[in-house]
Amino acid sequence: MREEIISRDEEMNAVPIDYKYGFTTDHKNLKDTGKGLSEEVIKEISKEKNEPSWMLDIRLNAYRQFIKMPLPGWGPDLTQELDFDSYTYYIKPSDRTASSWDDVPESIKETFEKLGIPEAEAKYLNGVSTQYESEVVYHNNQKELEEAGVIFLDTDSALKQHPDIFREYFGKVVPFADNKFSALNTSVWSGGSFIYVPKGVKLEKPLQSYFRINSESMGQFERTLIIVDEGADVHYIEGCTAPIYTANSLHSAVVEIFVKKGGKCRYTTIQNWSNNILNLVTKRAICDDDAHMEWIDGNIGSKITMKYPACILKGDRSKGTTVSIAFAGKGQTQNAGAKMTHLGKDTSSSIISKSLSRHGGNVTYLGLVEHRENANGAKTNIECDTIILDGISKSDTIPYNVTKNGDITVQHEAKVSKVSEEQLFYLMSRGLSQEQATEMIIMGFIEPFARELPMEYAVELNQLLKLEMEGSIG
Amino acid sequence: MDVLHISGLRAAIEDKEILKGVNLEVKSGEFHAVMGPNGTGKSTLAQVIMGHPKYEVLAGKITMNDEDVLEMEVDERAKAGLFLAMQYPSEIPGVTNSDFLRMAVRTKMQQEDKRLNLGAFMKELKGKIGDLKMQDDMAARYLNEGFSGGEKKRNEILQLLMLKPKIAVLDEVDSGLDVDALKIVGDAVNSMRSDSFGCLIITHYQRILDYITPDFVHVMMDGRIVKSGDVSLMKKVDSEGYDWIKKEKL
């Protein structure tokens, strides 16, 4: 097996590719549903998963809604990109969820080793749940989590083990009829993370999970549900890397988060999908009184990304924060932003968006901030900075503010920067090459995002951007 | 022995000729001062030596140890041993002073086939920050961002001390400094004095020269060096101004 992988790597190395994690392992898929989607396929998925009938009903209702709904009326044009009949909606990589690293099939392990997961695990991780294709194959909760009453499972297992709590929250902050892709995800969802943090439990170390698409033209539709009970505190990290494929792949996830009174949740993602993937994601959190939701959201890869992490600030004095970066290179469209809906009194939100484009890439900040009738004393601060690295790339900032209350404050600051001649001259006069100087200025530009990341992620982001920046001069 | 040689240098910005034939030679071990009224091309000379892209060189030569400096990129000039302490240093948000300096020092050491020892680097940086009586948090702050005028100037000198170039050009490092800071900066530059370091001090006020004694003094007017001498020339300018030189030239 190992030799096969090595020879495969050599094959891959012989092809000029620019994607760092562009390797595939030859793990045999045990089951898939073939290309295309129908009620039969959905029934097959549900049966395969041994689900309760109410979940199948939700899936089928969502599917009927999906067929009826149009594509989103905003953002990039997807009509030429999407071919719903060409995707495989469910692939099962192995016939059970492994409980320890030793039980994980060797070829899957090889993949994760290349991604450096064992090292990551060695470093103060509470639990690792890695998604390989559609199902979680490795899940390792450490004892302290269990002792604290924290549930950290793949979403399929959570449905089996905690059906009541699951049913109470599933689809409540992102209803399937919200948009075409939330309907699609609800009908075919598979995998994802489920987290419940009980009252008052504050987790110091982050929980994290890696996601990975590993089969040509397959969609990945993970579903994540996080419930942070009163006064609890959790940081969840989702990291994505994907190998290279020739056909379009669709990734359409839904993330739902409930932050109860006085609770705090931070959700960190750096997506680095290979540049043939459509990444259409719905992420939304709802905050009760004094709760705080933070989205730390990095978008480096994919062909097209549409992602607007949202906070519904329902409770009084609740807070929503989004800190994001988006990087669009050749052939890439990043349509990313944030959504803040202020319902409660004295709620506050903060959005910091940093975007970069080069080699004809197209990056857009699209944001919606709403202050509703009862949001007296609400405050919003928006900062959008963008750097366009050449003359052929694009960047747009489109902030919508909807205000239905006179007693609110909104500050908005938008800046288009460039890597200035003066800055380059300054750094180069100290002996840095033009590449080094440009890289340093870019790293400084995204520092407000990078400093929010755990060290190992900041280092990884740094390396990713360096790879992306290589050869960007001249 | 390192030699920076400038001859017949003419340079323009946006089609306006600023330098109209500058001749100057700075060798290691020597401290030169270039004085002169405002707008005579002193800072342009500094920027052209380092290769600022907004200036166009019309004629003349700059060589460093007989190598053509005008053919070099900005970073190659630094690698050849040149340094410019800038009058208006750029701000680089998000990049800490220490990260920047570490990168610059490491690049220099790689060129010399040496490896940077992080512990030694941090110790030296801390020591120099102390020598320059800068705030302790200087290493952790973003490069020049939000620095006062005086802090920026001291930060330029900090870079000079850390990078140890062969020939340094100091462009009005005295402006924006109070008397105490002038003395600190002067002491720091004096501490660099050696057989392997040459310095070209460009100044509008001659205050810095109360602390650094140049071996050669040049007066620049209308894009040329019109008079050269020793420290006595500086003293004469200090007491009589520049008018007598203008008259002499007429």
Side-chain angles (χ1 to χ4, degrees), chain A residues 70-357:
Chain A
L71 289 169
W74 69 90
D77 182 9
L78 297 171
T79 50
Q80 298 303 309
E81 305 291 341
L82 282 165
D83 179 3
F84 288 113
D85 294 332
S86 71
Y87 306 121
T88 303
Y89 289 86
Y90 179 72
I91 300 178
K92 192 180 163 87
S94 62
D95 57 356
R96 66 200 171 92
T97 298
S99 59
S100 85
W101 188 245
D102 290 340
D103 296 337
V104 174
E106 203 58 36
S107 64
I108 292 178
K109 259 184 174 171
E110 291 276 349
T111 305
F112 286 122
E113 269 165 30
K114 286 175 191 167
L115 289 174
I117 299 225
E119 291 97 302
E121 195 198 18
K123 287 172 193 165
Y124 315 110
L125 302 182
N126 254 346
V128 173
S129 144
T130 47
Q131 177 163 353
Y132 184 82
E133 297 176 1
S134 301
E135 277 204 23
V136 172
V137 291
Y138 172 55
H139 204 102
N140 181 17
N141 276 358
Q142 288 180 5
K143 225 177 170 186
E144 54 187 291
L145 283 181
E146 282 168 29
E147 281 166 5
V150 174
I151 304 167
F152 181 33
L153 291 170
D154 63 275
T155 310
D156 297 270
S157 302
L159 172 60
K160 290 196 178 72
Q161 294 175 29
H162 304 277
D164 295 340
I165 187 167
F166 196 97
R167 204 172 176 178
E168 186 183 343
Y169 291 100
F170 183 87
K172 295 299 192 305
V173 67
V174 181
F176 63 76
D178 188 83
N179 64 75
K180 192 172 183 73
F181 297 103
S182 63
L184 178 63
N185 175 279
T186 306
S187 61
V188 299
W189 73 268
S190 198
S193 292
F194 178 92
I195 299 170
Y196 172 77
V197 189
K199 276 185 191 173
V201 173
K202 295 181 194 295
L203 294 174
E204 282 172 23
K205 303 168 195 164
L207 301 177
Q208 58 180 321
S209 168
Y210 276 75
F211 295 86
R212 188 168 167 80
I213 293 177
N214 203 25
S215 186
E216 187 172 335
S217 280
M218 71 155 292
Q220 180 157 331
F221 305 94
E222 84 270 13
R223 183 89 184 195
T224 289
L225 184 53
I226 299 175
I227 300 134
V228 182
D229 217 329
E230 292 180 11
D233 190 338
V234 68
H235 180 191
Y236 176 66
I237 301 174
E238 173 206 58
C240 300
T241 51
I244 280 178
Y245 292 111
T246 50
N248 271 351
S249 255
L250 174 62
H251 173 253
S252 187
V254 168
V255 177
E256 296 183 278
I257 299 178
F258 299 81
V259 193
K260 305 283 188 159
K261 189 176 175 181
K264 190 178 172 202
C265 180
R266 168 176 277 218
Y267 190 110
T268 299
T269 317
I270 299 174
Q271 68 86 357
N272 182 29
W273 298 116
S274 57
N275 56 15
N276 59 321
I277 286 182
L278 305 178
N279 183 43
L280 311 167
V281 175
T282 307
K283 290 182 165 179
R284 197 173 298 160
I286 187 160
C287 294
D288 289 346
D289 288 354
D290 300 298
H292 187 185
M293 178 67 212
E294 296 176 310
W295 296 105
I296 311 297
D297 198 66
N299 296 293
I300 296 167
S302 81
K303 181 176 190 186
I304 296 177
T305 284
M306 290 176 72
K307 195 198 306 177
Y308 322 93
C311 298
I312 300 173
L313 303 170
K314 189 181 80 170
D316 292 345
R317 298 168 304 279
S318 58
K319 274 166 76 175
T321 303
T322 298
V323 183
S324 65
I325 58 159
F327 186 102
K330 190 179 179 185
Q332 285 186 292
T333 298
Q334 303 281 7
N335 200 276
K339 209 170 150 182
M340 297 287 178
T341 308
H342 293 253
L343 302 179
K345 291 181 184 32
D346 299 313
T347 46
S348 59
S349 62
S350 160
I351 298 167
I352 297 173
S353 158
K354 297 266 175 184
S355 54
L356 298 110
S357 59

Side-chain angles (χ1 to χ4, degrees), chain A residues 420-437 439-448 451 466, chain B residues 47 50-53 74-75 78-79 83-84 86 89-95 99-100 103-104 107 142-144 156 159 163:
Chain A
S420 80
E421 197 175 64
E422 291 298 329
Q423 287 176 320
L424 283 177
F425 175 64
Y426 187 66
L427 296 179
M428 287 174 74
S429 78
R430 301 321 189 224
L432 304 190
S433 67
Q434 190 170 349
E435 283 84 352
Q436 284 175 313
E439 195 177 287
M440 183 165 266
I441 294 164
I442 298 295
M443 293 304 158
F445 176 75
I446 62 153
E447 199 276 346
R451 73 169 163 232
K466 274 182 189 166
Chain B
Q47 304 261 43
M50 208 65 218
H52 195 293
V74 178
D75 56 322
K79 289 186 173 107
F83 179 92
L84 171 60
M86 302 208 190
S90 277
E91 299 187 358
I92 316 285
V95 175
D99 279 352
F100 159 66
M103 172 85 104
T107 304
Y142 295 149
L143 182 52
N144 293 325
E156 293 296 285
Q159 293 171 36
L163 287 167

